[in-house]
Amino acid sequence: MKTRARKRWRACVGVGESERRKKEEFSRIKFMIVHDQIYRLHEEKKVENRHFQSRAFVKNFLMLRRICLKYGQFFFGIFLGIAANHFFAAKSSNSSSTSVENAASFSSIPILINGDTDNRINGVRNDETDEVYFPWIWLKSFFDVFGDFGGEKDEFIFKNSYSEMNYKGDEEYTPMSSFMTFGNYRVESRERVKLISGVEGVPFSTQWSPEGYFYPVQIAQYGLAAFSRNVTTSSYDSQAYTASCGTSFNQNSDPPCSINVFQKHSNSYLTVCFEHLSAGSSIIVDHSPRISTSDSKERTGRVEIHYIASKVPEEVPMIEKAEKRGFAAMITIGIGERNRPGCISRDIMNDALKGLGKRNQKSVRHFRGKMDKINSIKFVGEGVIKSVKLAKTGYLEEFKSAAVWLRDHQTENGTWPIDVGKERIDYPDLIPGWTSAMAQGHGISMMVRAANSLNDSSFWLAAGRALESFKKTPKENGVRNLVFGKFVWFEEYPFQDGLFVLNGFIYSLIGLYDLAASDNAPDSLKIEAKALFDEGLNSLKTLLPLFDGGKGSFYDLGHVVKKTSPNLARWDYHTVHVQQLPFYKKIKDEPVIESFALRWEEYTKGNYASHN
């Protein structure tokens, strides 16, 4: 039954094909609603398949097609649904008439938005009840709401917010536990992460500059996400391999030094440890990932990645893509000079996706993929290999890389500077080298976890140095500011006039808490961090009502400072606010903060503040 029905509906769907492409999502919704209605009515009325072949139905269908041609495919769903309902009802009651003329009458009607004659959309009116139907694609945009099919596409789910609540604050939080919801983060997959640097082992960002730079906030989030997943992952499989040449390889190796894997598995995290790799040596991975984009089907193709031990970018690019016969692409990633003992750890699947998506824009083209098969690993040049391992994940290695980078790139003043400028309307530009309270807070959270898990006191020293920025004003390259000249605020963006961004401030407080609450931290650092945390917490409790927008939250208080239009938080940022506030439910009994968390969560469900 469904197959025959689809064939008939396609005749109507085909009208206005170019328009259908422009409104693909809306057309898909209409089609599924109509198809579901017809199928459900068929089952309820127990209409036999032969009814679809009746001459009366064909006559009615041709009439519907003429309606489509007259009013455009925009309204075909409503006409078709009403006609089908009337048809089945008439059949089940042995009615002699099955024409759509006896069904409820619908007509096209222009809708003037807010009475503006220059702002019209096309709607549909029920001529009997005067009920007016608005197109979903317009409702979605105008009211900033969302929806999609759920389950077996037998229902439509309407949502006020597109963000999901993953953190309620019910779990116990310690400086060594998972960092809030960061276990769900895939920082390396973000479109504005160019790649995980082959030299540093941390994200190389294009967040605010297409040329790319190392962004301390993103690097800390990468490390905190890896730490969180490592805490919640009990174990993961790994497999060791031995190269055909043993441990040493050179240009004269015959046959060439390689590992023939040729097996299907999901282990795509490669770790190669070595005594040394001579300049220009390569580790070449031949694999077959299954790749797809948002608008294409999944396909399998061979990809070859060359990890080259040479200076970056003087001798080899950070990442490059080229064509190669028999392969979907050949990707080159520079890993720097490797003439001393060490290891290289790479997520092969992520490197393939970044290479395939490389383009001369701020964002990498987004691909999805999973490993289908690794064919071989080859070693070209000269070097001595100690071990080769393939694992499903490399969370601990990723965390270590981020922690070491942050420790080694901290300034003498204890800051992790942001090396690109930042613009904001009504404020002077921040010049490269500015300090962010969010970077300082995330950095402290990383140093605390690294000091405890790696048993290295150098990370405690770095955490202590980071506290200095919380005592200095933006003019002194610090992050400490005052709201109304009274309440301490740690600035994510340290404009001297004050912007007072909420989410970055709260993250900075969590970093201070991590240091103050860590059992193994030096007492002097714990006392200092607690004093700063208490100052910030008092400001948060006092000023939180200023961020309440009645149906969402404000991203910052720039409108209070500059007397301008408020900056409403996008739903994903509002969700961050909602998930940050319950953090205080576990560490402190703060009913004021908890009440805002509950109310703001209701905003995501459409339960807004009351009118007078």
Side-chain angles (χ1 to χ4, degrees), residues 565-600:
S565 176
N567 186 17
L568 291 170
R570 298 196 310 260
W571 278 121
D572 47 358
Y573 273 108
H574 177 75
T575 302
V576 169
H577 294 161
V578 175
Q579 293 182 145
Q580 286 178 320
L581 296 181
F583 164 79
Y584 299 94
K585 182 167 63 176
K586 271 295 179 183
I587 66 170
K588 272 182 170 291
D589 183 17
E590 296 294 347
V592 173
I593 295 178
E594 186 175 354
S595 70
F596 275 90
L598 294 173
R599 182 160 64 252
W600 287 5

Side-chain angles (χ1 to χ4, degrees), residues 176 451-452 460 517-523 526:
M176 287 300 290
N452 280 312
W460 290 126
S518 181
D519 293 336
N520 298 323
D523 289 340
K526 293 169 67 173

Side-chain angles (χ1 to χ4, degrees), residues 467 471 480 488 490 509 512 516 524-538:
L467 294 177
K471 307 171 191 176
R480 186 184 186 89
V488 172
F490 305 125
L509 294 186
L512 294 171
S524 60
L525 296 185
K526 293 169 67 173
I527 294 170
E528 192 175 351
K530 185 179 185 304
L532 292 167
F533 173 80
D534 288 342
E535 279 186 306
L537 181 60
N538 178 63

Side-chain angles (χ1 to χ4, degrees), residues 121-132:
I121 61 171
N122 291 321
V124 172
R125 179 177 65 190
N126 184 323
D127 296 330
E128 293 182 358
T129 65
D130 282 342
E131 187 171 6
V132 176

Side-chain angles (χ1 to χ4, degrees), residues 175-176 447-456 460 518-521:
M176 287 300 290
M447 296 301 97
V448 168
R449 284 164 171 78
N452 280 312
S453 60
L454 304 178
N455 195 27
D456 187 337
W460 290 126
S518 181
D519 293 336
N520 298 323

Side-chain angles (χ1 to χ4, degrees), residues 20-293:
R20 187 188 67 81
R21 290 196 183 99
K22 296 178 183 177
K23 300 175 180 178
E24 179 181 356
E25 180 180 5
F26 186 52
S27 299
R28 181 170 64 89
I29 291 172
K30 296 197 299 291
F31 179 85
M32 293 305 303
I33 290 174
V34 173
H35 181 274
D36 177 69
Q37 181 183 10
I38 291 173
Y39 181 74
R40 185 174 64 254
L41 289 169
H42 173 69
E43 293 298 313
E44 290 176 356
K45 303 299 184 180
K46 300 188 182 299
V47 179
E48 297 177 0
N49 290 344
R50 60 185 174 82
H51 289 166
F52 284 95
Q53 301 167 356
S54 68
R55 297 183 64 181
F57 183 86
V58 173
K59 178 182 176 181
N60 292 335
F61 177 76
L62 293 174
M63 180 180 294
L64 288 172
R65 180 169 174 81
R66 287 195 295 273
I67 292 173
C68 288
L69 290 167
K70 181 177 180 180
Y71 293 103
Q73 67 128 16
F74 189 74
F75 305 112
F76 86 91
I78 292 175
F79 288 119
L80 208 53
I82 295 298
N85 181 60
H86 174 73
F87 173 72
F88 290 128
K91 281 290 183 181
S92 62
S93 61
N94 295 317
S95 172
S96 61
S97 173
T98 57
S99 67
V100 296
E101 288 89 347
N102 293 331
S105 176
F106 285 79
S107 60
S108 170
I109 183 171
I111 300 173
L112 278 65
I113 306 304
N114 292 318
D116 185 358
T117 56
D118 294 327
N119 187 7
R120 297 170 180 256
I121 61 171
N122 291 321
V124 172
R125 179 177 65 190
N126 184 323
D127 296 330
E128 293 182 358
T129 65
D130 282 342
E131 187 171 6
V132 176
Y133 299 90
F134 285 64
W136 165 247
I137 196 170
W138 180 86
L139 291 171
K140 177 180 177 181
S141 173
F142 191 83
F143 290 102
D144 193 25
V145 292
F146 310 88
D148 205 346
F149 290 102
E152 298 298 323
K153 294 191 175 182
D154 55 355
E155 61 183 1
F156 188 79
I157 301 172
F158 172 90
K159 293 182 178 181
N160 281 84
S161 166
Y162 56 80
S163 293
E164 299 292 338
M165 299 294 168
N166 297 314
Y167 182 74
K168 299 287 186 179
D170 298 326
E171 304 85 358
E172 181 181 4
Y173 181 87
T174 72
M176 287 300 290
S177 66
S178 177
F179 190 84
M180 299 183 64
T181 61
F182 278 40
N184 299 321
Y185 284 18
R186 295 288 296 175
V187 177
E188 61 273 26
S189 300
R190 293 176 181 172
E191 291 184 8
R192 293 194 178 182
V193 171
K194 187 173 184 177
L195 83 161
I196 301 302
S197 166
V199 179
E200 306 285 356
V202 296
F204 189 71
S205 177
T206 55
Q207 183 81 15
W208 294 318
S209 170
E211 289 76 24
Y213 60 102
F214 290 106
Y215 183 28
V217 170
Q218 206 165 64
I219 292 169
Q221 290 182 345
Y222 175 70
L224 290 168
F227 182 90
S228 299
R229 290 196 294 270
N230 192 59
V231 167
T232 56
T233 303
S234 56
S235 63
Y236 49 87
D237 296 331
S238 64
Q239 188 171 350
Y241 294 87
T242 301
S244 60
C245 59
T247 58
S248 298
F249 68 95
N250 55 52
Q251 297 286 8
N252 298 321
S253 296
D254 188 20
C257 189
S258 64
I259 299 171
N260 293 320
V261 183
F262 287 115
Q263 63 183 35
K264 291 180 178 286
H265 54 57
S266 59
N267 289 358
S268 67
Y269 199 88
L270 172 68
T271 299
V272 178
C273 294
F274 45 81
E275 288 292 340
H276 75 274
L277 298 175
S278 62
S281 296
S282 301
I283 302 171
I284 304 173
V285 181
D286 175 357
H287 65 292
S288 303
R290 301 177 68 180
I291 304 293
S292 66
T293 63

